[in-house]
Amino acid sequence: MKPIMLLLSMTLCNLFACHNASAATTMDHVAPTYWWAGMENPELQILLHGEGIASSDVSITAKDITLKEVVRMTSPNYLLLYADLSEAAPQTFHIVLKKGKKTTEIPYELKPRTRKGEDVEGFNAGDVLYLIMPDRFANGDTGNDVVEGMLESTTDRNAQYGRHGGDLKGIAGHLDYIADLGATAIWLNPTQENDMPEGSYHGYAITDYYQIDRRFGSNEEFAQLVEQAHGKGLKVVMDMIFNHCGSENYLFKDRPSDDWFNFKSEYVQTSYKTASVQDIHAADYERKIATDGWFTQSMPDLNQRNRHVAKYLIQSSIWWIEYAGINGIRQDTHPYADFDFMSRWCREVLTEYPHFNIVGETWLNSNVLVSFWQKDSKLAAPRNSYLPTVMDFPLQGLMNRAFDEETTDWGGGLYGLYDYVTQDLVYADPMNLLVFLDNHDTSRFSTDDSKAANLARYKQALLYLLTTRGIPQIYYGTEILMTGDKADGDGTLRKDFPGGWPGDKADCFTPQGRTELQNAAFDYTRKLLQWRKGNEVISQGTMKHFSIAHGTYVYERRYKNRSAVVIMNGTDQPQELELAPYREVLPKTQATDVLTGKTVKLDSILSLEGRESLLLCF
Ligand code: CA
């Protein structure tokens, strides 16, 4: 077909429903919608979904592309094509379906790559992730709050579990706020389509892996948001979910085969007890019910051991990286999915994009269990998850107690942090731990107003979070002391950011809209984040710490001949710290405290106020 003819036919075709005069087959879905020439992995799976298409003969009219395999599933409405692209140049080819005298031609585009895999930069310990729940951050376009034809057809800002109207435009409009605060990356809770009848706001029930939810915006707006973020020095981490999808996903409603989902597509509840995956004593039943059971009835559990499911999921992630240029993926419920599949997925992504990063949600209660999931874990060997970053949930639990308790030399408060970090040998790469005080699934660090009013507590927590080893993540609104207790429901952890909606009484994006207390927290956070940004002492530095003495925790981060030393009094009482034991990290007799700008004498005894912290640079 000549280019001009092709262009004409493409224009006339209604996206995928492209059929010539004698055809009658309409395509409901083509996934991926398009692909690229020149990827590391030369195999492409094209999933076609349309009524009765399985009985068609399939061929392709393409240059240097081999159709290796055509797979028919138990549903008559699917065809899975496997093509070899190893010799293929960018082109638009046609998938030809013939049924009797009817012929359907589906144009399929193989685009030229616009980025090199090695140019895609992942996130690392030099970054701080700012986690946003898109429905609850800012409403930049009230016109998309309700989209006609979608199943959840109302918004109600007073409803915990209802949609509130936040969107990508709202996030784009506040990138300057986030960059000014000093974060260097945004992690968005899932933005892919969740066309579910209720509870669709959180995004964890995907109904189309290739489509941004239209209430958030379009695919193009998502790609633009990534580009805008990059322009402001912000990386973008996309949330993905391979363990399950939404029950309104076409792949569940009209499933290719029953083994597309676990328990033959029949609802069986997971135990949520994923420690069994690593438990050397676990009964087979425990492992199966944990990983194959469904997260909820409305979230059918994908069977990644089905090779077609596996390929479909892997391609969807690579599609978003290549399409939008994201810098990282946060993988939901990582241990609930098949270990070997997830390992293969990480390897395939990192083969295409060697500097990319992936963080798995490893919600397990000990460092032994969490470390098992990190790439090159000795505990998992000879298996290897190839997952670069895991979430430090045990430290999150400890941090939520450490700054409330009195610290002694043998327990309580900061001792818990010290004691935990002494066990870091269990981790293959402690610098690639995601560290956080809270996220969208936990109580906020400030559970209530009295906690929020305790600025000393907040300051110590942020100082520790932003100077310990690993990659810090801050949950939106932490910097303005937003409160939320999980006991009151998940919706209370995901309140609207004040000022994100037209007509909001207070606009906490501006100093004028914040209270004095909020400004104190914001300014302190900003100061620390700005200090941390680009600071190799933190991003690449070693960590050296001392056991607790006089209720005080002392640790050093060092890179080459520069260092930062944190001295933190974990008691409500003043402390007199004899400095002789700390001389290896205190090379001078005075230093400037980054937090206050004051000069601190480091002679023989250091006097600290109750809960006082110092951040000294050498
Ligand atoms: Ca909106």
Side-chain angles (χ1 to χ4, degrees), residues 374-396:
Q374 191 172 33
K375 181 175 179 285
D376 299 332
S377 163
K378 291 189 194 88
L379 296 184
R383 300 165 91 192
N384 193 332
S385 71
Y386 289 99
L387 175 65
T389 303
V390 288
M391 289 192 183
D392 203 342
F393 272 96
L395 186 64
Q396 186 258 344

Short mmCIF file of all heavy atoms in Angstrom, two decimals, residues 374-396:
data_model
loop_
_atom_site.label_atom_id
_atom_site.label_comp_id
_atom_site.label_asym_id
_atom_site.label_seq_id
_atom_site.Cartn_x
_atom_site.Cartn_y
_atom_site.Cartn_z
N GLN A 374 14.60 -8.92 47.45
CA GLN A 374 15.49 -8.01 46.74
C GLN A 374 16.45 -8.79 45.84
O GLN A 374 16.92 -9.87 46.19
CB GLN A 374 16.28 -7.14 47.73
CG GLN A 374 17.02 -5.99 47.03
CD GLN A 374 17.64 -5.02 48.03
OE1 GLN A 374 18.06 -5.39 49.11
NE2 GLN A 374 17.68 -3.75 47.64
N LYS A 375 16.73 -8.20 44.70
CA LYS A 375 17.69 -8.77 43.74
C LYS A 375 18.96 -9.24 44.44
O LYS A 375 19.49 -8.53 45.29
CB LYS A 375 18.03 -7.69 42.71
CG LYS A 375 19.00 -8.09 41.62
CD LYS A 375 19.12 -6.94 40.62
CE LYS A 375 20.08 -7.25 39.50
NZ LYS A 375 21.49 -7.18 39.92
N ASP A 376 19.41 -10.42 44.09
CA ASP A 376 20.66 -11.00 44.61
C ASP A 376 20.61 -11.33 46.10
O ASP A 376 21.66 -11.45 46.74
CB ASP A 376 21.87 -10.08 44.33
CG ASP A 376 22.09 -9.84 42.84
OD1 ASP A 376 21.72 -10.74 42.05
OD2 ASP A 376 22.62 -8.78 42.47
N SER A 377 19.40 -11.50 46.65
CA SER A 377 19.30 -11.90 48.06
C SER A 377 19.97 -13.25 48.28
O SER A 377 19.70 -14.21 47.56
CB SER A 377 17.82 -12.00 48.45
OG SER A 377 17.69 -12.73 49.66
N LYS A 378 20.84 -13.30 49.28
CA LYS A 378 21.47 -14.59 49.61
C LYS A 378 20.43 -15.55 50.18
O LYS A 378 20.56 -16.76 50.04
CB LYS A 378 22.59 -14.38 50.63
CG LYS A 378 23.79 -13.62 50.09
CD LYS A 378 24.94 -13.65 51.10
CE LYS A 378 26.03 -12.65 50.75
NZ LYS A 378 25.74 -11.31 51.35
N LEU A 379 19.43 -15.01 50.83
CA LEU A 379 18.42 -15.87 51.44
C LEU A 379 17.54 -16.54 50.38
O LEU A 379 17.03 -17.63 50.60
CB LEU A 379 17.54 -15.06 52.40
CG LEU A 379 18.25 -14.48 53.61
CD1 LEU A 379 17.27 -13.79 54.53
CD2 LEU A 379 18.99 -15.58 54.37
N ALA A 380 17.35 -15.88 49.26
CA ALA A 380 16.50 -16.45 48.20
C ALA A 380 17.28 -17.39 47.29
O ALA A 380 16.69 -18.21 46.59
CB ALA A 380 15.86 -15.34 47.37
N ALA A 381 18.62 -17.25 47.27
CA ALA A 381 19.45 -18.03 46.35
C ALA A 381 19.16 -19.53 46.50
O ALA A 381 18.88 -19.98 47.61
CB ALA A 381 20.93 -17.76 46.64
N PRO A 382 19.17 -20.30 45.41
CA PRO A 382 19.59 -19.89 44.07
C PRO A 382 18.52 -19.14 43.28
O PRO A 382 18.76 -18.75 42.14
CB PRO A 382 19.89 -21.24 43.40
CG PRO A 382 18.94 -22.19 44.05
CD PRO A 382 18.81 -21.73 45.48
N ARG A 383 17.35 -18.94 43.86
CA ARG A 383 16.37 -18.12 43.14
C ARG A 383 16.80 -16.66 43.24
O ARG A 383 17.53 -16.27 44.15
CB ARG A 383 14.98 -18.31 43.74
CG ARG A 383 14.51 -19.77 43.67
CD ARG A 383 13.33 -19.97 44.58
NE ARG A 383 12.06 -19.74 43.88
CZ ARG A 383 10.90 -19.64 44.51
NH1 ARG A 383 10.82 -19.70 45.81
NH2 ARG A 383 9.79 -19.46 43.80
N ASN A 384 16.30 -15.85 42.31
CA ASN A 384 16.65 -14.43 42.32
C ASN A 384 15.46 -13.65 41.80
O ASN A 384 14.98 -13.88 40.69
CB ASN A 384 17.89 -14.19 41.44
CG ASN A 384 18.48 -12.81 41.66
OD1 ASN A 384 17.79 -11.85 42.02
ND2 ASN A 384 19.77 -12.70 41.42
N SER A 385 14.98 -12.72 42.61
CA SER A 385 13.79 -11.95 42.22
C SER A 385 14.10 -10.92 41.14
O SER A 385 13.21 -10.46 40.45
CB SER A 385 13.23 -11.21 43.43
OG SER A 385 14.12 -10.15 43.77
N TYR A 386 15.37 -10.52 41.03
CA TYR A 386 15.80 -9.44 40.13
C TYR A 386 15.07 -8.13 40.38
O TYR A 386 15.09 -7.22 39.56
CB TYR A 386 15.71 -9.85 38.66
CG TYR A 386 16.76 -10.88 38.31
CD1 TYR A 386 16.44 -12.24 38.26
CD2 TYR A 386 18.08 -10.50 38.09
CE1 TYR A 386 17.42 -13.20 38.00
CE2 TYR A 386 19.07 -11.44 37.83
CZ TYR A 386 18.72 -12.78 37.78
OH TYR A 386 19.70 -13.70 37.53
N LEU A 387 14.43 -8.01 41.56
CA LEU A 387 13.72 -6.78 41.93
C LEU A 387 14.71 -5.84 42.62
O LEU A 387 15.16 -6.12 43.72
CB LEU A 387 12.56 -7.13 42.88
CG LEU A 387 11.77 -5.99 43.49
CD1 LEU A 387 11.02 -5.21 42.42
CD2 LEU A 387 10.79 -6.54 44.54
N PRO A 388 15.06 -4.71 41.98
CA PRO A 388 16.13 -3.88 42.55
C PRO A 388 15.79 -3.28 43.91
O PRO A 388 16.63 -3.23 44.80
CB PRO A 388 16.32 -2.76 41.50
CG PRO A 388 15.69 -3.28 40.25
CD PRO A 388 14.58 -4.19 40.69
N THR A 389 14.56 -2.82 44.07
CA THR A 389 14.20 -2.09 45.28
C THR A 389 13.02 -2.74 46.00
O THR A 389 12.03 -3.11 45.36
CB THR A 389 13.86 -0.62 44.94
OG1 THR A 389 14.99 -0.04 44.26
CG2 THR A 389 13.57 0.20 46.17
N VAL A 390 13.16 -2.87 47.30
CA VAL A 390 12.06 -3.40 48.11
C VAL A 390 11.67 -2.34 49.14
O VAL A 390 12.42 -1.40 49.40
CB VAL A 390 12.46 -4.72 48.81
CG1 VAL A 390 12.55 -5.85 47.80
CG2 VAL A 390 13.77 -4.57 49.58
N MET A 391 10.47 -2.50 49.69
CA MET A 391 9.97 -1.48 50.64
C MET A 391 10.30 -1.88 52.06
O MET A 391 10.00 -3.00 52.49
CB MET A 391 8.45 -1.35 50.48
CG MET A 391 8.06 -0.68 49.20
SD MET A 391 6.31 -0.23 49.25
CE MET A 391 6.12 0.44 47.60
N ASP A 392 10.87 -0.93 52.80
CA ASP A 392 11.29 -1.22 54.16
C ASP A 392 10.12 -1.02 55.13
O ASP A 392 10.11 -0.09 55.94
CB ASP A 392 12.49 -0.33 54.53
CG ASP A 392 13.30 -0.94 55.66
OD1 ASP A 392 12.76 -1.83 56.35
OD2 ASP A 392 14.46 -0.54 55.85
N PHE A 393 9.17 -1.93 55.04
CA PHE A 393 8.02 -1.86 55.96
C PHE A 393 8.41 -2.04 57.42
O PHE A 393 7.84 -1.36 58.29
CB PHE A 393 6.95 -2.88 55.55
CG PHE A 393 5.98 -2.35 54.54
CD1 PHE A 393 6.15 -2.60 53.19
CD2 PHE A 393 4.88 -1.61 54.94
CE1 PHE A 393 5.26 -2.09 52.25
CE2 PHE A 393 3.97 -1.11 54.01
CZ PHE A 393 4.17 -1.35 52.67
N PRO A 394 9.37 -2.93 57.75
CA PRO A 394 9.73 -3.05 59.18
C PRO A 394 10.23 -1.73 59.74
O PRO A 394 9.86 -1.34 60.86
CB PRO A 394 10.83 -4.11 59.17
CG PRO A 394 10.60 -4.92 57.93
CD PRO A 394 10.06 -3.94 56.93
N LEU A 395 11.04 -1.01 58.98
CA LEU A 395 11.55 0.28 59.45
C LEU A 395 10.41 1.29 59.58
O LEU A 395 10.41 2.12 60.48
CB LEU A 395 12.64 0.81 58.51
CG LEU A 395 13.35 2.08 58.98
CD1 LEU A 395 14.12 1.83 60.28
CD2 LEU A 395 14.31 2.60 57.90
N GLN A 396 9.46 1.20 58.66
CA GLN A 396 8.29 2.10 58.73
C GLN A 396 7.57 1.92 60.07
O GLN A 396 7.22 2.88 60.74
CB GLN A 396 7.34 1.81 57.55
CG GLN A 396 6.18 2.78 57.45
CD GLN A 396 4.87 2.20 57.97
OE1 GLN A 396 4.74 1.00 58.15
NE2 GLN A 396 3.92 3.07 58.20
#
